Amino acid sequence: GCTSLTSITIPNGVTAIGTGAFYNCTSLTNITLPNSLTTIEDEAFRNCTGLTSITIPDSVTRIGSSAFSGCKGLLRVVLPKSITTIEVASFYQCSSLTTLTIPQGVTTIKSNAFAACTGLTGLCLPDSLTKIENWAFASCSNLTRITVPASVTSMGESIFREGSGLTI
């Protein structure tokens, strides 16, 4: 809730950003994450509405539930190649998100992971993906094209609910 915080550099040696660490830091626009970082806990950057871009280092193996939920100004996310699961509501309501690459190695996209990301228009899912849970891309109203690989063996309910013009 540090609403005046605009920029932060996490020093090298830090391995985890705790639950809710920067929750509601609405003026935060710039953050630099160290290569020593392995974990971003639940709700770590939730509602950081001023954040426009984030590059998560490849050392990160876990991005928690709702970690970036409500970051409505977030335009671009670079996900690490080291993650295998995109947790529940990790990027829920990141309505400005237009640039997203889900890296090879991701096997599971959990419920509501990218729901209400209305800025997304197209998405290519990696060949490593095997499971997409309920409402993963629900209310992505501008999503018009998505490539679901043959490796997906489990798909939950309403994954693309309220996605207008979608072709799969």
Side-chain angles (χ1 to χ4, degrees):
C2 296
T3 56
S4 296
L5 181 66
T6 60
S7 180
I8 190 160
T9 298
I10 307 292
N12 202 22
V14 172
T15 58
I17 296 175
T19 299
F22 297 97
Y23 192 124
N24 278 336
C25 293
T26 55
S27 296
L28 185 62
T29 58
N30 184 35
I31 185 153
T32 304
L33 302 174
N35 288 329
S36 59
L37 191 66
T38 59
T39 304
I40 298 173
E41 293 291 349
D42 299 349
E43 300 183 331
F45 296 97
R46 187 172 187 164
N47 292 336
C48 290
T49 55
L51 195 60
T52 58
S53 178
I54 185 107
T55 299
I56 302 168
D58 284 336
S59 56
V60 172
T61 56
R62 182 178 187 276
I63 299 170
S65 297
S66 298
F68 295 92
S69 179
C71 293
K72 295 181 180 190
L74 194 59
L75 297 166
R76 184 180 77 86
V77 173
V78 177
L79 293 170
K81 296 173 186 163
S82 52
I83 62 170
T84 57
T85 299
I86 298 176
E87 292 293 338
V88 173
S90 292
F91 297 92
Y92 175 71
Q93 288 185 332
C94 291
S95 54
S96 297
L97 187 62
T98 57
T99 304
L100 173 68
T101 300
I102 298 175
Q104 284 295 335
V106 170
T107 59
T108 303
I109 298 175
K110 291 200 172 181
S111 298
N112 291 302
F114 298 99
C117 290
T118 55
L120 286 177
T121 57
L123 191 59
C124 186
L125 300 174
D127 291 334
S128 57
L129 191 64
T130 59
K131 184 177 186 178
I132 305 172
E133 291 186 357
N134 301 341
W135 309 291
F137 298 96
S139 299
C140 292
S141 55
N142 290 310
L143 190 61
T144 57
R145 61 190 195 312
I146 188 164
T147 302
V148 178
S151 58
V152 173
T153 57
S154 175
M155 296 177 79
E157 295 177 17
S158 302
I159 293 170
F160 305 108
R161 185 177 185 157
E162 298 175 17
S164 64
L166 184 62
T167 55
I168 299 176

